[in-house]
Amino acid sequence: MSSLSPAERFARASERVRHPRTADFAASQRFDLDDFQIAGCQALEEGRSVLVAAPTGAGKTIVGEFAIHLAMLEPGEKAFYTTPMKALSNQKFRELVDVYGADEVGLLTGDTNINGSARIVVMTTEVLRNMLYADSGALRGLRYVIMDEVHYLADRFRGAVWEEVIIHLPPSVRLVSLSATVSNAEEFGDWLDTVRGDTAVIVSETRPVPLEQHVLVRGDLLPLFDDRAGVATAQVNQELLRMRSAGGTTYENNRRSQAGRSSGRAGYAAQRGRSSQRGARPIGNTHAQRIERLDRPDVVALLERANLLPAIFFIFSRVGCDAAVQQVRRSGLRLTTPEERDEIRRVVEERTRSLLEEDLAVLGFWDWRENLERGVAAHHAGLLPVFKEVVEELFQRKLVKAVFATETLALGINMPARTVVLEKLEKFNGEARVAITSGEYTQLTGRAGRRGIDVEGHAVIQWTAALEPQSVAALASRRTYPLNSSFRPTYNMAVNLIDQFGRARSREILESSFAQFQADRAVVGLARQVRDADESLAGYEKAMTCDRGDFREYSEIRRQLADLEKLNRRDATASRATREQRQRELSSLRKRMQRHPAHSCPDRENHARWAERYWKLKRSTDKIRRQIEQRTGTVARIFDRVVDVLGALDYVAERDGVTTLTPAGRTMRRIYGERDLLIAECLRRGLWKELDAAALAALACSLVYEPRRDDAGPGEHGLPRGAFRKVLSDTETLWQQLDDLERDHHLPGTEPISAGLASAMHSWARGLPLDRVLADADMAAGDFVRWSKQTIDLLDQISLVAEPGLAGTARKALDAVRRGIVAYATV
């Protein structure tokens, strides 16, 4: 404080008087809060909602934690912390338990229910949406909702849930929206201000730990930018550009001999200081050589020598991640001390003691533990959840030093590293290999740099023959991406809205969605184009005015004549009758043109040039007008189509101009997911009542399972026997009928049912051992657990809404699936 001027000391004292709770909270933190964190906390203390958009790792969750702090200062108040993923919810739950104690913190993630009536509850966003529609008693006393990773709103499969929650939260609830840096944060903030009331928008583009960008060329880390002052004004390293212009086949290998290479941070800093000068070259003897990529063990060893571990290697394939770990293991590289290995083994045994002995070999437990003890691990969705959690914990504790991960790790998991390595800048998106976006690059490299530990983070791009330094620099320089709504009404949403608000009010609510807000914003720009065009059209019309007659009418005849002549020339295959009809029309148009008063005007062709400009602009303006008509009320129009389908199937009824729910509609209120209509219709028709527990589990799995693109399905012979096959066939027939009905109402429909996992789920529900089930499923344990939990979620919904007999079967099926590795929970 002594280094501050008197004016600065006075300003700080004034702030403390105005925002005492923020000042006390800031004083209790391990780090000094950044300006954007303080601004967010102060806005909350003033009673406002807040949107905080900041880079990954900048510490925006501090603002959410302050909201929880405020709630806990007032007796009876609650705070909900929502995340897009169960793994994030589990992690946040553990963090908050450490601060407030187990009695004050709950966790609700669909398959986990811990202390749900606590004052602080961590949950997935879907759970909160369902609570709002059910008008849950747990909402009483709710004061703050923190929506972490709110940019998930753009997710085309799940993004609508975020908008539903934002729209339906009671007005008294203050909303804390935490987002990655997006380029349209102000637009999103304006919408939040519209639907939630006074909302402060706080944007920070400053990383708390500066990021150094490098390109790894053989054994050298070359700076991506020559200018060390900052990315915004930096120039691409001329050495990289020379390499690229040489075709990427040669490289002046100027390294010192291997023995002279420095190890440790000091040597790396010295080398980097020399090579980072503008246009500088690495040190050593020069001779042209073909550029060869370092093997992964060599890259890990290089980073270890340069004191740049722990590191995350992003590899956009699970197979690649597992292969990388095996490569490091085969190389004999070991990154841990004996003491660290002992601690790793202790943590592993403590966290996995509940796993069944007979399942360990199936899960590859022994190899996995051996790799961890070497300090390396993979992290991807195919791993058993507890394995991923152990990797995260050991990495955070600096016991695991190199993790090979898919991009899912970048989505909010608290796992910062000193260095992030990208082997490629493209990935397979399910259809083709595509370049990663600037937003994805920012999200991935955002893991580099641990606040309070590292002076700087490091992003390392491996050189490839296709690498373009300018393109990499563009990715590194653009730190933002737009947040676009993926909202669209669903059947479940429609019946819940109609039940609570009626049809007319529901349309108004949907028109307040971010999707419509963005469409309307676009309409404003389009309308401006139309206004400008109308002025030009008036000028053109004036310029083509003719004292002999209406030249616009005359030019329209000329335009029709020209269009018909062009059509006649193009359509050489037309029938004789058609061509004769066109000739009669052409003759009629020529006569009308020649008889028109404007035809004899001496200035006719000058007028015609202005007329041609007029009609060309009018055509484009009419197209814009149609766009405006299509965008205005888009969401409400889709809602109307959804309600029309519900009406055709008797889920809603019209009485005296009022839309109400039928008994079937009231059942649908509790059915969530992509197939809400199909599930509700199957229940109503009693298609599943003959199934036993294992067959119902297999059918539920078929409704949630999304196969890989190359998955051809099991075929008839691979399906469970008994009643299942006929019931599946009846369900598929019903799906086809509903799909036709939806398309008749200009709705997109749903994907076909896939029974690719039905046999494996049937076997699992019958109690068969894990090794046989995974062999039948032909998938990793983590994937099987994920689909099993989604199956459990659907069975739980069925158990709550089906008739008593089927509800009982659903509960038995749920219990049969929730066993072994599926039942294992670490929190």
Side-chain angles (χ1 to χ4, degrees):
M1 183 71 79
S2 59
S3 62
L4 299 178
S5 69
E8 289 171 327
R9 288 199 296 272
F10 177 77
R12 289 206 175 182
S14 300
E15 283 297 334
R16 184 175 183 86
V17 170
R18 287 200 302 270
H19 301 100
R21 290 181 169 180
T22 297
D24 291 342
F25 179 76
S28 70
Q29 300 303 304
R30 290 184 297 129
F31 311 118
D32 290 340
L33 296 192
D34 293 333
D35 290 345
F36 84 91
Q37 294 169 323
I38 292 172
C41 293
Q42 289 176 346
L44 285 171
E45 189 172 355
E46 293 165 3
R48 308 169 71 191
S49 291
V50 64
L51 165 65
V52 180
T56 301
K60 49 187 173 284
T61 55
I62 281 285
V63 182
E65 290 164 9
F66 180 65
I68 295 171
H69 173 75
L70 290 177
M72 297 303 285
L73 291 176
E74 302 294 336
E77 287 194 354
K78 293 181 178 180
F80 288 173
Y81 197 110
T82 75
T83 76
M85 293 184 294
K86 293 175 183 178
L88 280 175
S89 294
N90 294 343
Q91 188 177 75
K92 200 66 195 179
F93 170 74
R94 289 192 291 268
E95 291 174 7
L96 291 171
V97 166
D98 289 342
V99 176
Y100 293 100
D103 292 342
E104 297 287 9
V105 186
L107 176 67
L108 299 173
T109 61
D111 58 346
T112 303
N113 186 335
I114 301 172
N115 199 16
S117 60
R119 291 180 62 194
I120 306 167
V121 186
V122 183
M123 61 187 70
T124 52
T125 316
E126 282 86 352
V127 169
L128 178 53
R129 186 272 311 273
N130 299 351
M131 291 170 69
L132 288 166
Y133 280 154
D135 195 23
S136 168
L139 297 169
R140 283 190 284 277
L142 181 61
R143 178 61 175 163
Y144 297 97
V145 167
I146 300 98
M147 300 193 79
D148 203 353
E149 309 285 338
V150 76
H151 51 272
Y152 255 82
L153 180 143
D155 184 88
R156 69 189 183 99
F157 297 109
R158 299 172 56 210
V161 177
W162 273 257
E163 291 192 49
E164 289 179 78
V165 168
I166 292 168
I167 291 169
H168 294 306
L169 278 173
S172 59
V173 175
R174 297 295 89 193
L175 188 65
V176 183
S177 304
L178 307 176
S179 171
T181 309
V182 292
S183 53
N184 59 336
E186 287 77 11
E187 178 189 41
F188 185 50
D190 287 347
W191 175 68
L192 289 173
D193 199 78
T194 301
V195 295
R196 300 296 319 160
D198 190 9
T199 301
V201 179
I202 296 160
V203 178
S204 172
E205 296 188 30
T206 304
R207 282 178 52 97
V209 181
L211 182 65
E212 301 290 348
Q213 313 265 356
H214 313 275
V215 178
L216 175 59
V217 187
R218 297 193 70 186
D220 289 309
L221 286 168
L222 299 181
L224 174 60
F225 298 101
D226 283 333
D227 188 349
R228 306 293 287 176
V231 172
T233 57
Q235 299 293 317
V236 178
N237 188 341
Q238 295 301 306
E239 180 69 19
L240 295 173
L241 295 177
R242 280 193 288 271
M243 290 163 52
R244 177 72 271 154
S245 64
T249 59
T250 61
Y251 169 46
E252 294 169 312
N253 183 15
N254 303 325
R255 293 175 298 166
R256 293 188 186 276
S257 64
Q258 189 71 22
R261 292 188 62 177
S262 51
S263 63
R265 180 64 182 165
Y268 171 74
Q271 176 185 329
R272 193 191 65 192
R274 290 187 290 267
S275 65
S276 65
Q277 298 168 13
R278 190 175 301 278
R281 297 167 180 259
I283 304 158
N285 301 319
T286 65
H287 62 278
Q289 283 192 355
R290 185 177 186 82
I291 299 174
E292 297 176 359
R293 288 168 63 93
L294 284 184
D295 290 336
R296 285 162 176 155
D298 294 331
V299 178
V300 174
L302 182 151
L303 295 179
E304 183 187 27
R305 287 193 300 272
N307 196 25
L308 292 181
L309 297 179
I312 299 172
F313 292 71
F314 282 112
I315 301 173
F316 301 118
S317 111
R318 300 179 188 180
V319 173
C321 293
D322 292 333
V325 172
Q326 293 308 313
Q327 287 168 16
V328 174
R329 179 174 178 171
R330 286 195 300 269
S331 75
L333 187 65
R334 193 180 291 277
L335 305 173
T336 53
T337 66
E339 294 76 19
E340 288 173 331
R341 291 194 283 278
D342 290 342
E343 179 63 12
I344 289 169
R345 182 168 290 222
R346 187 194 67 75
V347 171
V348 169
E349 290 178 355
E350 178 185 326
R351 297 290 298 276
T352 62
R353 66 162 60 102
S354 298
L355 293 177
L356 300 176
E357 191 73 26
E358 60 266 29
D359 291 343
L360 296 181
V362 182
L363 297 170
F365 174 83
W366 311 111
D367 283 346
W368 172 72
R369 190 180 69 178
E370 165 65 18
N371 293 331
L372 289 177
E373 291 178 12
R374 288 179 176 272
V376 296
H379 189 289
H380 55 70
L383 287 177
L384 198 64
V386 64
F387 283 15
K388 285 194 292 185
E389 291 167 12
V390 169
V391 170
E392 290 160 16
E393 178 180 341
L394 294 177
F395 192 81
Q396 289 167 8
R397 293 175 57 179
K398 295 183 282 188
L399 295 170
V400 166
K401 313 299 174 69
V403 169
F404 298 89
T406 56
E407 70 267 35
T408 53
L409 187 148
L411 301 176
I413 298 290
N414 181 24
M415 213 171 139
R418 175 166 293 173
T419 304
V420 162
V421 180
L422 299 181
E423 293 192 350
K424 295 180 180 177
L425 294 175
E426 62 176 21
K427 65 176 185 177
F428 186 69
N429 67 357
E431 297 180 357
R433 299 206 69 82
V434 297
I436 64 173
T437 66
S438 59
E440 289 168 332
Y441 183 91
T442 301
Q443 193 87 348
L444 296 168
T445 58
R447 294 282 141 213
R450 299 163 298 174
R451 189 167 188 172
I453 302 175
D454 298 321
V455 176
E456 58 198 10
H458 299 269
V460 176
I461 315 301
Q462 285 199 263
W463 179 273
T464 66
L467 186 136
E468 293 284 352
Q470 295 281 22
S471 300
V472 181
L475 281 177
S477 302
R478 287 197 301 269
R479 299 185 179 276
T480 60
Y481 53 99
L483 177 60
N484 294 314
S485 173
S486 60
F487 183 85
R488 71 174 182 85
T490 65
Y491 298 106
N492 170 271
M493 185 193 304
V495 294
N496 274 291
L497 286 172
I498 290 170
D499 186 49
Q500 291 188 45
F501 306 108
R503 183 169 183 171
R505 174 69 181 129
S506 296
R507 288 181 102 259
E508 293 176 10
I509 289 171
L510 292 174
E511 286 180 332
S512 69
S513 66
F514 187 45
Q516 191 57 56
F517 186 84
Q518 287 192 306
D520 290 342
R521 283 270 174 116
V523 164
V524 170
L526 292 172
R528 188 178 300 113
Q529 291 181 44
V530 169
R531 285 196 302 273
D532 294 344
D534 284 341
E535 291 179 10
S536 298
L537 286 170
Y540 294 162
E541 193 163 11
K542 185 176 180 181
M544 68 179 175
T545 301
C546 178
D547 58 1
R548 301 288 180 97
D550 186 344
F551 202 89
R552 188 171 71 165
E553 181 183 73
Y554 173 75
S555 66
E556 171 65 6
I557 297 171
R558 283 178 55 143
R559 194 168 66 87
Q560 290 177 17
L561 181 62
D563 289 346
L564 191 56
E565 286 174 338
K566 191 183 296 181
L567 176 63
N568 216 22
R569 286 195 300 272
R570 283 181 182 169
D571 193 6
T573 60
S575 66
R576 180 177 177 180
T578 299
R579 295 182 70 83
E580 287 177 351
Q581 172 64 27
R582 287 179 187 162
Q583 287 298 333
R584 287 193 291 272
E585 292 176 14
L586 285 169
S587 179
S588 174
L589 284 169
R590 289 191 187 104
K591 288 177 182 177
R592 286 179 60 197
M593 181 183 72
Q594 291 165 0
R595 291 172 183 168
H596 197 284
H599 188 65
S600 60
C601 177
D603 207 18
R604 182 184 67 198
E605 293 311 309
N606 185 43
H607 295 328
R609 282 192 289 273
W610 285 107
E612 182 61 30
R613 295 175 189 173
Y614 173 89
W615 290 113
K616 185 176 181 181
L617 180 58
K618 189 174 187 306
R619 276 195 295 269
S620 66
T621 306
D622 288 344
K623 184 177 180 181
I624 295 173
R625 289 187 200 276
R626 288 194 294 273
Q627 286 181 302
I628 291 174
E629 289 173 5
Q630 290 166 1
R631 294 190 182 198
T632 304
T634 306
V635 177
R637 276 203 304 277
I638 296 173
F639 172 74
D640 287 338
R641 294 170 191 165
V642 166
V643 175
D644 288 345
V645 170
L646 291 171
L649 294 170
D650 197 34
Y651 285 88
V652 299
E654 287 278 344
R655 293 186 181 88
D656 301 324
V658 177
T659 305
T660 57
L661 300 188
T662 64
R666 285 192 286 276
T667 297
M668 187 184 277
R669 290 178 307 173
R670 304 289 296 278
I671 300 172
Y672 304 98
E674 286 287 308
R675 300 195 186 275
D676 47 7
L677 181 61
L678 176 62
I679 293 164
E681 196 66 0
C682 287
L683 293 177
R684 184 167 68 164
R685 299 188 186 197
L687 294 189
W688 303 340
K689 61 184 179 182
E690 301 302 322
L691 295 175
D692 62 17
L696 183 60
L699 189 73
C701 178
S702 301
L703 293 172
V704 299
Y705 177 59
E706 298 171 10
R708 298 187 302 269
R709 293 178 61 84
D710 57 351
D711 189 346
E716 179 73 18
H717 68 281
L719 295 173
R721 298 184 180 278
F724 177 84
R725 296 186 182 187
K726 180 181 184 306
V727 171
L728 176 64
S729 177
D730 291 344
T731 303
E732 289 174 331
T733 300
L734 178 56
W735 168 80
Q736 290 172 343
Q737 294 169 354
L738 295 177
D739 192 64
D740 290 342
L741 179 64
E742 288 177 306
R743 295 185 191 281
D744 287 344
H745 286 81
H746 307 289
L747 291 170
T750 55
E751 291 295 314
I753 297 168
S754 175
L757 197 55
S759 177
M761 189 59 66
H762 188 262
S763 298
W764 180 252
R766 286 169 50 223
L768 267 65
L770 180 65
D771 57 345
R772 286 184 55 184
V773 171
L774 291 183
D776 186 10
D778 188 26
M779 66 172 49
D783 291 321
F784 181 73
V785 169
R786 186 171 76 258
W787 294 121
S788 295
K789 290 189 173 183
Q790 291 193 34
T791 300
I792 287 170
D793 185 51
L794 177 53
L795 290 169
D796 185 46
Q797 293 179 41
I798 294 170
S799 74
L800 296 174
V801 299
E803 51 83 20
L806 183 59
T809 305
R811 284 190 289 273
K812 291 178 184 175
L814 188 155
D815 291 337
V817 175
R818 189 187 281 151
R819 68 178 182 88
I821 61 171
V822 177
Y824 183 84
T826 58
V827 294

